[in-house]
Amino acid sequence: MASKSDKEIILAPGGNGAVTGEEEELLPALDDMKPREIVVELDKYIVGQAAAKRAVAVALRNRVRRQKLPPEIADDVLPKNILMIGPTGVGKTEIARRLARLAGCPFIKVEASKYTEVGYVGRDVESMVRDLVETSIDMIREEKLDEVADRAEQSAEERVLDLLLPPLPSPAPGTPETEVAAQREQNQRTREKLRVQLREGKLDPRMVDLEVRERMMPAFEIISNQGGGFEEMDASKINDMISGIFGQQKKKRKMTVADAFEYLIQEEENKLLDMDLVTRMAVERAEQMGIIFIDEIDKVAGRESGHGPDVSREGVQRDILPIIEGTTVNTRYGMIRTDHILFIAAGAFHVTKPSDLIPELQGRLPIRVELQSLKEEDFIRILTEPKNALIKQYAALLETEGVKLTFTEDAVAALARFATSVNEQTENIGARRLHTILEKVLDEISFEAPDLKKKNVKIDAAYVNKQLVDIVKNQDLSRYIL
C-alpha cells in the first residue's frame, strides 16, 4: 500500500469512465503527466530499463485516456497487460511498485508459485483479487482519515477538557442569575487556561479516568466456499451486531492525558468515518485502477509431465487465465470485476520460455518487455544516482551514530567491479549483489560505529579491496559469503 508521502498524485476514477465531483480536483495532477514525464519520475529510482519504463508509462497513460471516453466505449477498452522478461535483481518489481505509488493505485505483488490449482491444498488465485481490495480499503481509509483528522482532534480536545474540568452541575433553584453567570464565566476561563496547557503538553503526565469500550470479540476465520481459500470475517460487523443485542461493555481505566487524547482521537475518527462510502470507493478504485504484479510467472510455465511435485503447474495457469481475461470474484465487500485491473507478470525464464505458457495466457499478456542484465557502469549509477541509492542509505544510517561516511569515486568503481565479478563467477542476482558486497565492506564500521572516536570516515578503493579481495579470489568462499 502507498504511504502518506507517496500520495502526492492520486487517481481515483468514477464508474464507467465518469469522474465524480469529489475526484475531479485530484485527477488533473496525473492527467497532466505525459508518458515521457512518467518515465522521468521512474528514472529517479530505477537505473536503465528504458523499454520497460516506456511500456508501463504507456499503460498508465492509457488509463487516463480511457476515462475521457464515453461510458459505452470505455467499458470495452481493456488494459494491455505486460509480461516482463529478465533476470533477477534488474528492477522488474521496483518498476511496477514505483508506478503504482506514482499513480496512487491499489497495488499488490504476488508470487505465482505460491498458488495451487483449485482442489489442491494451498492458496487459490482468486485471493490475489481479495488482497487487492483490502489494499484499496486501507488506501481510501487513510485518505478519509486525513480529511476528518482536524475535526476529530477538536472533538477529542473538548472531551479531554471535560475529563479535566467536569461541566458545572445544574444550579440550585432560587440561585440568582448573576451568580450563575459568574460561575459559568469563571469555569470558561479555567477551561481556556487548561486548553492552553493541554496544547503545550504540560498536562500530558496527569492521570485521568476514561471510560473505554472493551473489545470482547476475537477475529474469526471461515473457509470460503469460493475456491477453498481462507477469508477473514469482518469481526467489527459482528461486534456491532452483538453490541446491538447485548449492549457494549464499558469500563473505566486510568491513563495519562496524552494516552487519553490519542484514544479519543481514534474514537472520534471512527465516528466521523463513513465506512460504507470508503468501501464503495475502494471497490471502485480496485476495479478501475488496481495493479496486480504476478512475479515468478516462469515457475508455473511448462507442460504437464503427469507426475512429480509440479502436477498443478498448468492448472495454476488455467486458474489465472479467467482473472486476467476478466471475471467476477466474490469478496466480503461484494463482487469485484477484474476486467480493468492491470496485470504485470514477470519472470526470469532461465529454464523455461514465454512460449511455454499456455497459448491463452500468452494472448492475455500482449506487451512483452525484455529487461537487460546490469553491467558495471549500471552498478556505479545504482550506487549513486537514485533518490534512495544504497550509499545514501548507509550514510544516513551511520549518521544517526554521529559518523559521517563518505565514499570516494574509486571506491564506488571498486564496489561495482567486485559486484560484476561475483555475479559472473557465481549466480547472477543483479543489483541485489550490491547489498551483500556493501554489508561486507561496512561490517567493521557498522559494528564499531557507536565507539568510534574518529567520526569522519572515508571509504576509498584501498579499503574496499582490503575487505573483499581475499573472499572474491576464493571462489568457494565467495559462493557462501557474497
Side-chain angles (χ1 to χ4, degrees):
M1 187 185 74
S3 63
K4 287 184 185 177
S5 59
D6 297 319
K7 287 184 188 167
E8 291 115 21
I9 303 165
I10 302 292
L11 182 56
N16 298 327
V19 180
T20 62
E22 187 175 322
E23 292 142 358
E24 226 160 10
E25 62 201 41
L26 300 172
L27 189 63
L30 185 62
D31 197 18
D32 291 342
M33 290 189 79
K34 300 169 188 168
R36 193 184 304 280
E37 290 165 346
I38 294 170
V39 170
V40 168
E41 285 299 313
L42 293 174
D43 282 339
K44 291 178 183 174
Y45 297 95
I46 303 135
V47 168
Q49 315 303 357
K53 289 174 187 169
R54 280 173 68 101
V56 295
V58 169
L60 191 60
R61 182 68 175 181
N62 279 339
R63 294 190 141 189
V64 177
R65 290 166 181 158
R66 179 180 159 266
Q67 290 168 28
K68 297 176 181 177
L69 296 173
E72 60 274 11
I73 301 176
D75 260 357
D76 295 328
V77 177
L78 302 178
K80 303 300 181 286
N81 300 313
I82 300 167
L83 177 62
M84 291 185 184
I85 304 157
T88 185
V90 296
K92 299 188 295 291
T93 307
E94 193 63 17
I95 286 172
R97 185 177 285 127
R98 291 290 169 187
L99 184 80
R101 287 184 180 181
L102 181 66
C105 298
F107 171 83
I108 59 158
K109 174 185 178 285
V110 297
E111 278 83 32
S113 51
K114 283 188 179 176
Y115 296 103
T116 58
E117 188 178 348
V118 171
Y120 289 83
V121 175
R123 296 201 78 188
D124 67 295
V125 293
E126 287 188 353
S127 62
M128 68 174 75
V129 181
R130 297 189 192 108
D131 292 344
L132 182 72
V133 177
E134 293 289 348
T135 303
S136 188
I137 292 273
D138 289 342
M139 280 181 68
I140 301 287
R141 192 170 183 278
E142 283 294 320
E143 288 170 26
K144 292 296 175 189
L145 282 177
D146 287 345
E147 289 175 17
V148 301
D150 290 341
R151 279 188 290 158
E153 196 168 329
Q154 287 169 11
S155 302
E157 186 178 80
E158 295 301 330
R159 289 179 65 182
V160 170
L161 290 172
D162 287 340
L163 290 172
L164 294 166
L165 184 69
L168 287 170
S170 300
T175 309
E177 276 296 322
T178 51
E179 193 178 321
V180 172
Q183 283 179 346
R184 281 181 187 152
E185 194 178 331
Q186 186 182 354
N187 186 274
Q188 191 59 35
R189 280 201 303 271
T190 308
R191 190 180 178 90
E192 290 308 314
K193 282 179 188 173
L194 286 172
R195 190 190 303 278
V196 172
Q197 290 178 334
L198 178 65
R199 287 177 180 175
E200 290 173 354
K202 292 177 181 175
L203 302 176
D204 285 357
R206 189 182 290 191
M207 302 299 289
V208 290
D209 286 326
L210 181 65
E211 204 171 53
V212 297
R213 290 185 177 86
E214 280 195 296
R215 298 179 69 86
M216 300 293 290
M217 294 298 297
F220 288 89
E221 276 195 354
I222 58 168
I223 298 176
S224 166
N225 59 1
Q226 301 288 324
F230 281 94
E231 201 175 342
E232 194 180 322
M233 282 179 66
D234 194 344
S236 62
K237 286 183 180 174
I238 298 172
N239 276 338
D240 291 343
M241 182 178 70
I242 291 180
S243 65
I245 301 168
F246 301 105
Q248 265 190 322
Q249 291 194 344
K250 293 184 177 181
K251 71 169 189 177
K252 284 205 169 184
R253 274 181 56 196
K254 264 197 180 305
M255 58 176 78
T256 62
V257 167
D259 290 341
F261 193 35
E262 284 299 317
Y263 178 85
L264 291 171
I265 286 174
Q266 287 182 16
E267 203 172 86
E268 291 298 324
E269 282 177 343
N270 289 331
K271 283 183 192 174
L272 293 166
L273 206 61
D274 182 354
M275 279 310 292
D276 288 335
L277 175 65
V278 167
T279 303
R280 282 199 307 276
M281 286 182 68
V283 166
E284 189 174 18
R285 191 178 291 191
E287 285 184 338
Q288 302 293 328
M289 292 302 299
I291 297 176
I292 296 181
F293 183 82
I294 307 175
D295 206 358
E296 312 289 0
I297 194 80
D298 56 319
K299 303 297 187 292
V300 297
R303 303 295 173 182
E304 295 293 353
S305 57
H307 62 275
D310 296 326
V311 71
S312 66
R313 181 182 281 188
E314 194 172 311
V316 172
Q317 292 184 61
R318 285 196 300 270
D319 287 350
I320 288 174
L321 180 62
I323 291 180
I324 294 184
E325 192 174 28
T327 187
T328 306
V329 176
N330 188 15
T331 73
R332 66 179 180 180
Y333 302 106
M335 306 300 280
I336 306 295
R337 285 178 59 203
T338 64
D339 301 65
H340 298 290
I341 293 173
L342 176 66
F343 290 87
I344 302 175
F349 290 99
H350 287 310
V351 181
T352 55
K353 306 182 292 294
S355 57
D356 290 332
L357 294 167
I358 59 174
E360 299 91 335
L361 190 56
Q362 291 181 50
R364 301 298 167 203
L365 299 164
I367 300 175
R368 306 285 174 86
V369 183
E370 192 167 352
L371 285 86
Q372 305 304 314
S373 293
L374 298 169
K375 301 183 178 66
E376 192 174 318
E377 54 267 29
D378 295 321
F379 286 142
I380 292 172
R381 291 179 62 200
I382 288 167
L383 284 167
T384 54
E385 283 183 20
K387 276 190 173 182
N388 59 343
L390 279 176
I391 283 177
K392 295 174 187 172
Q393 290 179 28
Y394 280 97
L397 282 171
L398 289 171
E399 205 169 334
T400 61
E401 304 273 8
V403 176
K404 192 174 179 188
L405 185 69
T406 52
F407 284 80
T408 61
E409 281 187 25
D410 59 346
V412 174
L415 288 168
R417 189 172 63 253
F418 278 119
T420 308
S421 171
V422 177
N423 272 347
E424 286 169 356
Q425 291 170 18
T426 60
E427 289 292 326
N428 184 356
I429 60 170
R432 293 192 178 97
R433 185 71 67 190
L434 292 171
H435 289 273
T436 56
I437 296 275
L438 265 170
E439 277 294 331
K440 190 64 195 164
V441 168
L442 297 175
D443 177 60
E444 202 174 302
I445 294 167
S446 295
F447 188 81
E448 301 288 348
D451 308 314
L452 282 177
K453 289 178 181 164
K454 186 184 170 190
K455 293 297 184 183
N456 288 339
V457 178
K458 184 180 277 190
I459 306 288
D460 56 15
Y463 185 84
V464 173
N465 288 324
K466 180 183 137 195
Q467 296 294 101
L468 295 176
V469 72
D470 292 336
I471 298 170
V472 173
K473 275 183 185 171
N474 187 336
Q475 284 195 25
D476 290 334
L477 200 57
S478 67
R479 283 178 190 278
Y480 292 100
I481 296 177
L482 298 178

